[in-house]
Amino acid sequence: MGLVQCLGAALVLVLGLSSGQRVVTVQKGLLYRVRGSHVTLWCRVSGYQGPAEQNFQWSIYLPSAPEREVQIVSTADPSFPYAIYTQRVRSREIYVERLQGDAARLHITELQDRDAGEYECHTPTTDERYFGSYSAKTNLSVIADTLSVSMQPQALTRVEGDAVELTCEVSKSTTQHTHLSVGWYCLQGAGDSPAKEILTLSKDFVLRPGASYVQRFLTGDVRLDKVGNTTYKLSIRGVKPSDQGQLYCEAAEWIEDPDETWKDISRKQTEKTSLIVTSPDKNLHVTIAAAESSLSEGDTLQLNCCVRAQNSRGRQFQVIWLLNSTEVARVDPSGVLIWKKEYEERATLRQLQAFKQSDTVYVFTVYEVRLTDEGTYSYSISEVEKAPGDVRSIQTKLSSDLKVNVKPIESCMHLSMSTSTAQIMAGDTLIFLCKVQGTTNPLSVRWWHLQQHQGPPALVATMERDGSLTLGSAYQDRGAQGSIRLEKADSSTFTLVIANASSASDGGSYRCEVVEWSQGKSWTQAEETAVTVSPLDVGLHAVLISRTATVKYAQSFELFCQLSASYALEQVPVSVMWQFQPSRPTRDYQELVRVLPDGTVAWGTAQPHFLKKTQLTKAASSSRLLIHGATVDDEGTYRCEVGVWSRSSPPRGQPAAAVRSNAVGIKVTLPESKLQVATKESSVEIAGGADATIECRIMFAQKTAQLAITWYFLPSSPADAIPLQIVRANYSNILEYGAEFSSLMQRSRFQSQRVSGDVFWLQILSANHGDEGGYYCVVEEWLWLADGWYKLGVGESGRTTLELKISESELDVGKTNHSISVREGAEATVGCLLQGVRPPASRVSAVWFHGEDRAGARPLLRLHRDGTVEYVQESLAGRLHLRRPAAGDFSLTLRSVEESDTGVYYCQVQEWQQDSKGEAWALQASALSGYTRLTTLPPESTVFSRICSSPPLLNFILYLPLVLILLLAIAGFYWYLKFRRVRKDDIKDDQLVELQRTEDIKQT
């Protein structure tokens, strides 16, 4: 009992869990649907939480990219579709129909081939947690619509009680297993009234009559028989007025879906047949019908006049055909046809015809309809009886009007022009094909040649409708030589052949102009195509290839020159020239060797060393250059030049066309280096001021090689310090010092020497605090090959760390750190004071250091024990001054402080004593002072500095005096001119007074 209870509880638990699980279901696939049909796919969701109205998103996985999702449409997000579906969704060609809150249907109104793929229906979650399935997939395959339904349209008139038979052709060629259904329908009335079902053969091969035809089907009056593989016949015995209308056949193709339901994937209808059922009475009932009332000029118009009357065989009728109420022709009771005068000529030409087809049917036919034949047709029928000496009309009936429209004739001609010789070489044959489709009317053709920038088109040839040929004036001579041919393969295919084409005159575009003739009218269409008659250099290519671009020294290598052209190279004379440019070019490419078309080989003189070690071969479309024993002289760039001569002339002089290949570089690698340098790390500890020796040992090197060695120094700080080159001794033992060690003092202290064939030493004389750090060597192996020295390899040694062990017990140097600030241009003094009394026989030396910090400081100047001062940078000699070195004060004064002087300064003081023999000096003690941090400040601002720092103010002060002086000069000159004018006026007045006095005296 306990087990049963446990199982029950588990079942309840499972059911409870599953009740809250989301499940999305979609229409089961694979589904087959035909191209162009309206397709629907349904999707449902259950077990969800949240609102009753769920959203649906449709995507597709295309066969070309089955892993990539392409979004189609969403009920929630208008921007969901990808670009290829956006327009179709906006135009409602693709949309989602919501069936209910949790069900929707995807509609594709016009299925396309690209719609085939795997469709996925996804429902965005509204649940509190993810549980279940949120999407489902189905596959859709798009197949061709092969269903065909046809029936000959007719206009039938039957008396009530007559029989009617109609046949319908139905076929399909679908590769999938499908069924057909065929049904007959009758459309009565106008507008959108539904058609009435007559009888249908269902997909299950069951005959199903329409609701109004059940009884007649059971009595056998309505039948549907399959009388052939594709032919279905409807038989109605004893037609009734209710059968009157437009009859048509409808067929549908059905396929069984994976869910075992049948779906009609294609449905088509035939054209309609008009059925008129007349009543059996004494009155005349007339109808007029046409197989087609909308015609084009040149078509055939057939009007059928149907007379429905009882016992029509024993009665006599006269029929008059009317156009726009005007008589055209009549058929008298004896059957004699009488045309109106204006129609007699056309009737004689058999363009008009009227006759009595049967006792109840009269036919009026117009062949090659004209525009003047458009209008309203009707007919009048009169029943007559013979009276003595006369014919008496008993009754007359006028048919209804039938409007006939005649459209102007239009050409259906379609012209296409092609050529198989769009690209040819000079001397080949041009062939053009002009094909006409869509017409059986007589045709004439003209061929034109259009050369670019050479005036109007030139007529090549003409073929008239009767087949006569005419050549253009510019082509008559070539036609006489047989170079121009115009052919007509059939009634609609024309060919133009131009032999021995010239690249100068026959290139360009050619036009085929075809004229269609019909009923005195003509239509012209033209097509053009361009051809290129190329000289021999067109399409000529040369490609140079090598199996390897890097060749070992003394190894052989080969180059291939591949030739190609748009024509067969075997048919033309070809030459090949090989060229070479050394890796260190001093001039253009030099000719190595040339192979002439007759096989003659001519060697160039610029590189004679190739002659004895080069092998050359030549084929029709390739050439091979094999070079043995590669040396450095063979390193460089190679290329080949191909020349082609005309087939019509011997290969003399320059080729008719030439082309150069791509360049191929060949690099010759030197023998492999086996240089080995000792890489073991070591350290050297010496007393301050003593000499140090750094060793660089060669473990292995080629005996014939020369060695170059470069010594490097790596300061102990900062951590990212860059190695400094000390000295380099090249393979000729020429020394070259680095920039940091190029001073005379440094060159005298750092010396490189070769102790033995495999050992090099770097000697450091009088090592000081600034020399502490790492030292290593870089060794280069050089070998002389043919024309110079070549570096084979490089090796780097391990680092040797130099440390100074100095006793500071007997020297007392100030250890206090200071910071000072000095303006630019002023003086600054940094202190270094040695305290205490020193023995008279001792000597003291000092070194000042400067840097951004103490760890990275470099020597600034040295005071040797003999009292001489050495400046590391000669440019600072005028700005650095030691105060009183003899009194133990080694303070350093910096004159004209600059911004670059900012940093840390400190000194190292060393005490020396001679040995007992009085020969060598030994370092007794050494001490480092505290550091002084110097900060530079901008110079103090003054009136003059402000003026100089302001260009406008400076210009004002400079030019103001000049302006004032100029104004004063102008004023002075003005007053000078004014004074002279006043003085002249005074002189003139005095002269006039004097003259007056003289006149007075004379008069007296």
Side-chain angles (χ1 to χ4, degrees):
M1 186 63 182
L3 178 60
V4 174
Q5 292 178 345
C6 290
L7 291 176
L11 180 59
V12 170
L13 178 61
V14 171
L15 292 175
L17 291 176
S18 62
S19 63
Q21 178 177 351
R22 177 184 288 257
V23 177
V24 177
T25 56
V26 73
Q27 190 166 348
K28 190 175 181 181
L30 172 69
L31 302 176
Y32 291 95
R33 298 295 184 264
V34 301
R35 185 190 311 115
S37 63
H38 186 141
V39 175
T40 60
L41 299 174
W42 57 261
C43 179
R44 295 189 181 92
V45 59
S46 60
Y48 57 89
Q49 298 176 354
E53 184 171 288
Q54 296 288 299
N55 285 314
F56 297 83
Q57 295 176 346
W58 285 91
S59 303
I60 187 173
Y61 297 83
L62 299 175
S64 58
E67 301 297 326
R68 186 180 65 186
E69 178 187 10
V70 180
Q71 299 176 177
I72 300 177
V73 67
S74 169
T75 59
D77 185 6
S79 63
F80 181 77
Y82 279 7
I84 60 173
Y85 286 101
T86 301
Q87 185 57 36
R88 297 178 67 186
V89 172
R90 288 177 179 173
S91 64
R92 297 284 293 175
E93 184 181 339
I94 298 178
Y95 64 93
V96 177
E97 175 193 6
R98 183 177 292 279
L99 302 177
Q100 55 188 41
D102 55 2
R105 181 184 293 138
L106 173 67
H107 287 258
I108 304 176
T109 59
E110 187 174 352
L111 190 64
Q112 302 177 11
D113 289 333
R114 60 176 178 170
D115 295 330
E118 185 180 39
Y119 284 75
E120 180 182 39
C121 175
H122 175 74
T123 59
T125 181
T126 57
D127 306 334
E128 294 180 357
R129 61 188 182 91
Y130 282 93
F131 185 49
S133 64
Y134 290 81
S135 65
K137 295 181 179 180
T138 187
N139 285 286
L140 175 65
S141 177
V142 180
I143 61 177
D145 187 359
T146 62
L147 180 63
S148 173
V149 184
S150 62
M151 181 182 71
Q152 183 68 31
Q154 303 177 68
L156 303 178
T157 301
R158 295 290 185 269
V159 178
E160 184 177 356
D162 291 347
V164 173
E165 289 186 352
L166 299 174
T167 58
C168 177
E169 296 289 332
V170 181
S171 64
K172 66 177 181 68
S173 59
T174 308
T175 57
Q176 285 72 26
H177 176 71
T178 59
H179 289 183
L180 289 176
S181 65
V182 180
W184 293 88
Y185 296 85
C186 178
L187 182 62
Q188 296 175 330
D192 298 328
S193 58
K196 181 172 58 176
E197 182 181 8
I198 300 175
L199 185 59
T200 299
L201 177 62
S202 70
K203 65 179 182 300
D204 303 319
F205 313 106
V206 176
L207 287 172
R208 183 181 68 247
S212 58
Y213 288 85
V214 174
Q215 187 61 37
R216 297 171 67 186
F217 168 75
L218 295 176
T219 60
D221 289 339
V222 177
R223 295 176 51 86
L224 195 159
D225 302 294
K226 186 175 182 182
V227 295
N229 290 333
T230 60
T231 305
Y232 297 81
K233 183 176 70 172
L234 173 68
S235 302
I236 302 178
R237 188 172 57 189
V239 295
K240 298 180 179 180
S242 60
D243 299 329
Q244 181 172 286
Q246 301 289 325
L247 276 65
Y248 64 90
C249 171
E250 181 182 277
E253 185 175 6
W254 298 76
I255 191 169
E256 187 177 21
D257 285 342
D259 59 359
E260 297 183 357
T261 62
W262 286 86
K263 170 65 179 174
D264 55 331
I265 59 176
S266 181
R267 185 177 294 271
K268 294 181 180 179
Q269 297 177 359
T270 65
E271 296 184 47
K272 297 177 177 59
T273 290
S274 174
L275 175 61
I276 298 176
V277 179
T278 61
S279 301
D281 55 7
K282 291 290 184 178
N283 296 327
L284 297 178
H285 300 275
V286 295
T287 56
I288 185 171
E292 184 63 51
S293 61
S294 294
L295 306 172
S296 296
E297 190 177 2
D299 290 346
T300 298
L301 171 64
Q302 180 175 321
L303 300 176
N304 294 325
C305 172
C306 298
V307 181
R308 184 160 49 85
Q310 287 186 349
N311 194 21
S312 59
R313 188 179 300 273
R315 303 164 71 175
Q316 292 182 333
F317 303 100
Q318 175 180 269
V319 177
I320 301 175
W321 291 98
L322 305 172
L323 172 58
N324 297 326
S325 302
T326 302
E327 181 179 344
V328 176
R330 68 173 57 200
V331 179
D332 67 9
S334 303
V336 177
L337 175 62
I338 303 171
W339 293 98
K340 297 298 287 185
K341 185 175 181 180
E342 56 267 33
Y343 294 96
E344 289 180 353
E345 183 179 356
R346 293 181 64 186
T348 304
L349 297 175
R350 301 186 65 83
Q351 295 178 1
L352 299 176
Q353 188 180 24
F355 62 93
K356 181 180 180 181
Q357 187 179 51
S358 65
D359 293 336
T360 60
V361 178
Y362 295 83
V363 178
F364 177 78
T365 305
V366 182
Y367 299 99
E368 298 182 7
V369 170
R370 302 176 182 178
L371 295 176
T372 57
D373 297 328
E374 182 177 84
T376 302
Y377 287 83
S378 61
Y379 74 94
S380 171
I381 184 167
S382 300
E383 183 180 3
V384 298
E385 64 178 4
K386 291 182 180 181
D390 195 5
V391 175
R392 184 170 61 88
S393 175
I394 301 175
Q395 58 177 329
T396 300
K397 288 289 185 179
L398 183 65
S399 71
S400 59
D401 294 337
L402 178 64
K403 178 66 176 177
V404 175
N405 299 314
V406 181
K407 297 183 296 184
I409 189 172
E410 296 180 357
S411 174
C412 297
M413 175 175 60
H414 175 70
L415 178 64
S416 62
M417 183 180 179
S418 62
T419 179
S420 59
T421 57
Q423 294 278 351
I424 65 169
M425 305 304 298
D428 293 342
T429 300
L430 286 170
I431 302 175
F432 301 96
L433 182 66
C434 197
K435 188 171 184 61
V436 181
Q437 294 178 333
T439 182
T440 58
N441 294 325
L443 304 172
S444 63
V445 62
R446 284 177 296 205
W447 293 91
W448 301 85
H449 181 206
L450 297 85
Q451 288 183 308
Q452 292 183 350
H453 314 298
Q454 293 191 13
L459 179 63
V460 180
T462 300
M463 176 179 286
E464 301 296 342
R465 286 176 286 177
D466 58 0
S468 60
L469 301 178
T470 304
L471 294 178
S473 58
Y475 291 86
Q476 291 181 359
D477 292 340
R478 297 178 66 179
Q481 299 171 2
S483 299
I484 306 294
R485 298 198 316 272
L486 186 60
E487 302 172 351
K488 185 175 182 181
D490 53 45
S491 61
S492 61
T493 305
F494 304 90
T495 304
L496 174 65
V497 179
I498 302 177
N500 194 22
S502 169
S503 61
S505 60
D506 289 334
S509 296
Y510 285 81
R511 180 192 299 163
C512 172
E513 188 177 281
V514 176
V515 181
E516 178 185 6
W517 303 87
S518 177
Q519 300 182 17
K521 293 187 178 183
S522 64
W523 298 268
T524 302
Q525 286 191 19
E527 288 289 332
E528 292 183 11
T529 188
V531 296
T532 303
V533 182
S534 304
L536 291 174
D537 58 351
V538 174
L540 182 63
H541 295 284
V543 179
L544 184 62
I545 58 177
S546 173
R547 288 182 178 151
T548 177
T550 303
V551 182
K552 293 184 179 180
Y553 187 82
Q555 186 181 1
S556 298
F557 65 94
E558 57 185 355
L559 299 167
F560 295 92
C561 184
Q562 301 288 346
L563 316 180
S564 63
S566 56
Y567 50 89
L569 288 171
E570 294 84 354
Q571 301 177 4
V572 294
V574 178
S575 67
V576 179
M577 177 174 63
W578 289 89
Q579 297 175 330
F580 170 70
Q581 185 182 53
S583 58
R584 295 184 293 274
T586 57
R587 60 183 71 85
D588 200 1
Y589 279 87
Q590 303 164 355
E591 180 178 344
L592 290 184
V593 61
R594 182 193 301 263
V595 183
L596 300 178
D598 59 359
T600 304
V601 177
W603 288 90
T605 58
Q607 297 288 337
H609 72 278
F610 281 99
L611 177 60
K612 297 182 179 180
K613 64 174 188 176
T614 303
Q615 183 179 353
L616 180 67
T617 58
K618 177 180 173 295
S621 59
S622 65
S623 180
R624 172 175 170 267
L625 188 71
L626 176 61
I627 300 175
H628 299 279
T631 65
V632 179
D633 291 340
D634 303 332
E635 182 173 301
T637 305
Y638 294 79
R639 73 182 181 190
C640 62
E641 182 175 307
V642 180
V644 179
W645 275 262
S646 174
R647 287 175 286 189
S648 59
S649 60
R652 296 176 184 174
Q654 294 298 322
V659 65
R660 289 175 179 170
S661 73
N662 57 295
V664 173
I666 297 296
K667 180 175 179 60
V668 179
T669 58
L670 303 176
E672 184 178 356
S673 173
K674 298 183 179 179
L675 175 66
Q676 297 181 11
V677 182
T679 58
K680 184 177 180 181
E681 304 283 339
S682 63
S683 63
V684 175
E685 185 178 14
I686 62 171
D691 297 340
T693 299
I694 309 299
E695 181 181 270
C696 179
R697 182 175 296 276
I698 311 301
M699 306 303 295
F700 183 83
Q702 295 190 23
K703 294 182 179 180
T704 58
Q706 296 292 329
L707 300 178
I709 184 170
T710 304
W711 290 96
Y712 290 91
F713 168 61
L714 182 63
S716 56
S717 62
D720 58 348
I722 300 175
L724 305 175
Q725 178 182 328
I726 302 174
V727 61
R728 169 183 169 82
N730 66 7
Y731 51 76
S732 299
N733 206 28
I734 298 176
L735 299 180
E736 177 184 355
Y737 281 86
E740 300 288 337
F741 296 86
S742 59
S743 66
L744 181 61
M745 179 186 72
Q746 295 289 68
R747 290 201 301 269
S748 64
R749 293 183 56 243
F750 290 86
Q751 299 176 2
S752 175
Q753 68 179 78
R754 186 169 187 173
V755 181
S756 63
D758 56 355
V759 177
F760 292 83
W761 281 357
L762 174 67
Q763 291 187 323
I764 306 173
L765 306 180
S766 302
N768 56 50
H769 170 72
D771 299 331
E772 288 185 315
Y775 294 83
Y776 65 93
C777 66
V778 175
V779 182
E780 301 172 358
E781 188 177 23
W782 292 79
L783 188 66
W784 175 269
L785 296 175
D787 59 346
W789 288 96
Y790 293 90
K791 183 167 66 174
L792 299 183
V794 178
E796 181 178 315
S797 71
R799 284 173 172 74
T800 299
T801 303
L802 176 62
E803 299 176 351
L804 269 63
K805 184 178 181 182
I806 300 176
S807 171
E808 299 186 1
S809 59
E810 299 182 9
L811 292 179
D812 185 9
V813 181
K815 301 292 186 179
T816 305
N817 298 328
H818 302 279
S819 295
I820 60 175
S821 298
V822 181
R823 293 191 181 276
E824 294 182 15
E827 288 188 355
T829 300
V830 290
C832 179
L833 182 63
L834 176 62
Q835 299 177 353
V837 180
R838 313 262 42 96
S842 65
R843 296 288 186 269
V844 178
S845 66
V847 182
W848 272 99
F849 296 88
H850 171 233
E852 294 183 2
D853 53 29
R854 185 158 187 166
R858 302 294 298 161
L860 191 64
L861 65 78
R862 299 178 188 274
L863 172 65
H864 295 282
R865 57 180 176 267
D866 57 1
T868 60
V869 178
E870 178 183 2
Y871 297 93
V872 176
Q873 300 183 26
E874 297 295 336
S875 60
L876 299 177
R879 296 180 54 226
L880 301 180
H881 175 68
L882 285 176
R883 181 174 292 179
R884 289 183 301 151
D889 187 358
F890 299 95
S891 298
L892 178 67
T893 300
L894 286 83
R895 298 169 180 169
S896 301
V897 171
E898 299 176 355
E899 183 179 1
S900 59
D901 296 333
T902 299
V904 171
Y905 293 82
Y906 66 92
C907 70
Q908 180 185 25
V909 181
Q910 297 174 330
E911 182 181 10
W912 302 80
Q913 286 188 352
Q914 281 185 312
D915 58 10
S916 58
K917 297 180 181 181
E919 297 178 353
W921 290 89
L923 181 66
Q924 299 298 317
S926 176
L928 293 174
S929 72
Y931 68 83
T932 299
R933 180 173 295 280
L934 175 63
T935 303
T936 60
L937 302 176
E940 185 177 2
S941 177
T942 63
V943 174
F944 293 104
S945 65
R946 292 179 182 177
I947 293 174
C948 294
S949 62
S950 175
L953 181 61
L954 178 62
N955 292 334
F956 176 76
I957 294 174
L958 289 177
Y959 292 113
L960 180 61
L962 297 178
V963 175
L964 294 176
I965 293 171
L966 180 60
L967 293 175
L968 290 175
I970 293 172
F973 183 68
Y974 170 76
W975 287 110
Y976 170 73
L977 293 178
K978 186 174 182 181
F979 174 76
R980 286 191 61 185
R981 183 179 297 173
V982 172
R983 187 174 181 183
K984 287 181 180 180
D985 293 340
D986 293 341
I987 292 172
K988 288 180 181 180
D989 292 341
D990 293 342
Q991 289 177 351
L992 290 174
V993 171
E994 189 66 30
L995 288 174
Q996 185 67 36
R997 289 178 181 176
T998 304
E999 289 293 331
D1000 293 342
I1001 293 172
K1002 286 181 180 182
Q1003 291 176 1
T1004 304

